[in-house]
Amino acid sequence: MHTDIDRNWKDRVSAQALKQIRDLDLSLDPESFELWYTFFAGRHKALTEAIDALLAAKPRPASHDIADVYEQVLFPSKAATRIHAIGAEVQTQSSRLIDAIAQASDATHGYQSRLSSAAPRLAGGGGDDGVAAIADDLLSWTIEMRDTNALLVEQLDAAAAQVRRLQDELDRVRLESMTDPLTEVGNRKFFETSMARLIAAGGGPLSLLIVDLDNFKQFNDRHGHVVGDDVLRLAAATIKQSCRRDDVVCRYGGDEFAIILPGTALNDALAVGEKIRAAIAARELHRRSTHESLGRLLISIGSAQLRSGETTQDVVERADHWMYAAKQAGRSRLQCVSREPQQPAATQSSILWHDSYACGEAAIDRQHRELFDLANLVLGSDVEALEPDKLAEVVDLLIARVGDHFAYEEQILEGIGYFDLGRHRVEHDHLLLRARELRDGLLASDQSLGALREFLVNTVIIGHMLNHDQQFFPLLDHRTAAAALQTSPP
């Protein structure tokens, strides 16, 4: 009777869990069912509080929100239970080993005692019959000792096999505790652990990519959380396929991924990031049931190379700001690479300077900030009301300051022997030429102010200064710049 009541209660809780999953349009996977079953069972206070807080903030949470709660609240207690069970088994095996070793020790001690007692008997003689009796005893004792040793070896082999099994189980628990259950890549804990270990080890360059799924929310809102989960899985799989063997892929949170690139300088990290961006942009998504096209997934990527003395938080913050800069440029970018076809230009009313954009050389940083201010002047609504001659003055001032900055920067790079100075100088020339063409077209009414703004923000400020310039940042600080150039900056 008790069993029937218990079963009826479990059936009701299971039905509540399934209904909640359906009502919230979540994926029906083992982790989700376990979470909601435990929640409705009402026996896990921390889980109840976490779910209540989540539902208060997001009445219709996404599956990745549920996965985060599972990972943060439910999984640790499961892991602790499993580790406790493994510990109990280890204790049992240890007790068996101690007993086996004690038995072997007793047997060895007894064998030695018998051998000691046989020595006086042999010394005293006693005829052939006496010697034969002693030989029989020695043979019997030796056979007994051999059997004891064989049993000990068998027990030790069995214990070793159990220890190996327990070690494998501990490894699985550890791996699961470091793995995101939805995407099967490393979780936030694994990311932080890996970064701390690599920073402490030192010994070479270390770069980081932060990947944000630009239009993930659209997939969730338009097609439901089940499709959203599939998008996250696809993104994770594509990122892993595009990375190298030693790269560490983690789900940083929500729709963001972090890729740690050990032994990798910034230029090589950018190449990996571009490979990821191109691979994801090439994948057209389809609904499984109807093969309906759902469009393409767009991503923005920020990158940063670890600098001396930095912490994980420092390099994450810089990479995160580069990712934000990529979004400012119109999305589907790796640190603001060329704009994807049919992607709208940036429409922000201003661009914001952040300290992470600084290279450490005072004059270059001051010039960069000034160009941000001039760019914001051109982006402002007041400039649209200017007379053509006044507009020309503003644009000419901007182009002049860009030219002055480029000239100073080239002097600095020449002084420190920058290996890519030739290409950098050619790019400066092309940017200035294009700026003057747009200026002339604007005054002749052949070009719109929007074209100039798009070029200024996406190509000059974000594309060049916040992308290509960053490649020489690790080589440059105020000391090397001061030694490279003795004249006053413009």
Side-chain angles (χ1 to χ4, degrees):
M1 186 69 177
H2 173 74
T3 301
D4 290 339
I5 294 175
D6 187 57
R7 180 174 178 177
N8 290 337
W9 177 82
K10 291 178 180 179
D11 287 346
R12 288 197 301 273
V13 174
S14 298
Q16 286 179 294
L18 291 171
K19 183 177 184 301
Q20 183 77 338
I21 292 172
R22 286 194 301 269
D23 290 347
L24 294 178
D25 190 26
L26 300 171
S27 296
L28 179 55
D29 52 54
E31 290 80 13
S32 181
F33 177 78
E34 180 184 357
L35 180 140
W36 289 111
Y37 182 94
T38 306
F39 173 76
F40 285 112
R43 296 174 177 175
H44 198 302
K45 181 180 178 182
L47 178 65
T48 300
E49 292 174 350
I51 290 294
D52 287 343
L54 175 62
L55 294 178
K58 292 175 123 180
R60 294 190 63 81
S63 289
H64 62 81
D65 297 317
I66 300 301
D68 288 343
V69 173
Y70 179 90
E71 179 184 322
Q72 294 167 12
V73 179
L74 200 56
F75 184 82
S77 62
K78 289 181 60 183
T81 300
R82 291 173 65 185
I83 291 173
H84 178 75
I86 293 171
E89 286 195 59
V90 169
Q91 186 174 8
T92 300
Q93 291 301 323
S94 298
S95 298
R96 290 175 180 173
L97 280 174
I98 291 172
D99 291 342
I101 292 171
Q103 292 174 9
S105 177
D106 291 343
T108 301
H109 181 71
Y111 185 61
Q112 290 175 343
S113 297
R114 289 173 176 177
L115 290 178
S116 297
S117 67
R121 292 167 58 192
L122 286 172
D128 293 340
D129 291 341
V131 172
I134 295 172
D136 288 342
D137 288 342
L138 289 173
L139 178 61
S140 174
W141 298 338
T142 301
I143 292 174
E144 182 181 340
M145 190 64 194
R146 181 200 63 188
D147 293 341
T148 300
N149 286 338
L151 179 61
L152 175 62
V153 169
E154 182 181 343
Q155 291 174 330
L156 289 176
D157 287 344
Q162 288 297 319
V163 169
R164 285 193 295 270
R165 181 185 64 79
L166 294 173
Q167 181 62 54
D168 290 342
E169 182 67 16
L170 280 174
D171 289 342
R172 281 194 294 272
V173 172
R174 179 178 177 275
L175 180 61
E176 289 174 6
S177 71
M178 297 284 191
T179 302
D180 175 60
L182 178 63
T183 60
E184 297 183 350
V185 299
N187 59 15
R188 180 73 169 266
K189 181 180 178 182
F190 185 58
F191 169 78
E192 293 173 349
T193 302
S194 299
M195 282 293 291
R197 173 177 55 82
L198 290 168
I199 291 175
L206 177 67
S207 293
L208 174 68
L209 299 175
I210 297 292
V211 179
D212 184 86
L213 310 187
D214 290 330
N215 52 344
F216 174 72
K217 187 175 184 299
Q218 297 176 15
F219 284 100
N220 258 347
D221 294 345
R222 186 177 303 170
H223 305 293
H225 298 313
V226 173
V227 171
D229 288 350
D230 287 340
V231 169
L232 287 172
R233 293 188 188 97
L234 175 65
T238 306
I239 291 172
K240 286 175 64 176
Q241 293 167 5
S242 303
C243 287
R244 303 159 307 178
R245 187 178 68 176
D246 293 336
D247 297 336
V248 181
V249 180
C250 304
R251 184 179 172 200
Y252 192 67
D255 57 355
E256 279 191 352
F257 294 86
I259 302 101
I260 307 171
L261 302 100
T264 305
L266 184 61
N267 283 347
D268 294 330
L270 292 173
V272 175
E274 173 58 20
K275 183 178 180 182
I276 293 171
R277 189 203 64 79
I280 289 182
R283 300 290 294 268
E284 184 174 1
L285 305 176
H286 295 85
R287 190 182 295 276
R288 291 180 182 178
S289 58
T290 63
H291 302 291
E292 167 196 359
S293 175
L294 304 179
R296 297 183 186 274
L297 182 62
L298 304 178
I299 66 172
S300 294
I301 306 178
S303 66
Q305 181 176 336
L306 181 73
R307 298 173 181 172
S308 177
E310 281 192 325
T311 65
T312 296
Q313 183 177 355
D314 295 329
V315 70
V316 167
E317 181 180 352
R318 287 196 296 112
D320 200 50
H321 278 287
W322 292 117
M323 184 270 292
Y324 175 70
K327 286 184 176 295
Q328 283 187 312
R331 307 188 181 216
S332 190
R333 305 295 177 101
L334 164 66
Q335 295 221 139
C336 322
V337 295
S338 301
R339 183 162 56 90
E340 285 291 296
Q342 299 180 350
Q343 281 298 111
T347 57
Q348 70 282 349
S349 60
S350 64
I351 51 176
L352 303 178
W353 172 266
H354 188 273
D355 288 343
S356 65
Y357 301 160
C359 69
E361 201 284 313
I364 289 179
D365 290 337
R366 185 177 67 250
Q367 293 164 11
H368 279 178
R369 285 194 294 269
E370 180 186 14
L371 292 175
F372 265 67
D373 293 338
L374 290 171
N376 284 326
L377 179 62
V378 176
L379 289 171
S381 58
D382 293 342
V383 77
E384 298 173 1
L386 292 178
E387 296 295 330
D389 58 337
K390 294 296 184 181
L391 178 60
E393 290 180 10
V394 172
V395 176
D396 286 342
L397 173 62
L398 176 61
I399 293 175
R401 298 311 292 166
V402 169
D404 291 342
H405 164 67
F406 284 170
Y408 176 74
E409 186 176 272
E410 289 168 14
Q411 288 179 282
I412 291 291
L413 296 182
E414 184 176 9
I416 65 173
Y418 182 48
F419 73 95
D420 208 17
L421 175 59
R423 185 199 60 81
H424 211 73
R425 182 178 280 129
V426 169
E427 183 173 349
H428 284 172
D429 293 341
H430 287 168
L431 290 173
L432 286 172
L433 178 62
R434 179 57 179 159
R436 294 186 182 108
E437 289 175 349
L438 286 170
R439 181 259 189 203
D440 294 344
L442 177 63
L443 298 182
S445 300
D446 294 330
Q447 297 282 349
S448 68
L449 182 59
L452 176 64
R453 286 169 165 170
E454 197 276 342
F455 168 76
L456 175 63
V457 174
N458 290 349
T459 306
V460 178
I461 300 295
I462 299 177
H464 179 73
M465 294 181 183
L466 300 186
N467 182 12
H468 297 137
D469 280 3
Q470 192 197 11
Q471 297 175 19
F472 64 73
F473 281 11
L475 308 176
L476 190 64
D477 60 27
H478 64 282
R479 295 180 299 275
T480 57
L485 186 66
Q486 301 300 325
T487 60
S488 299

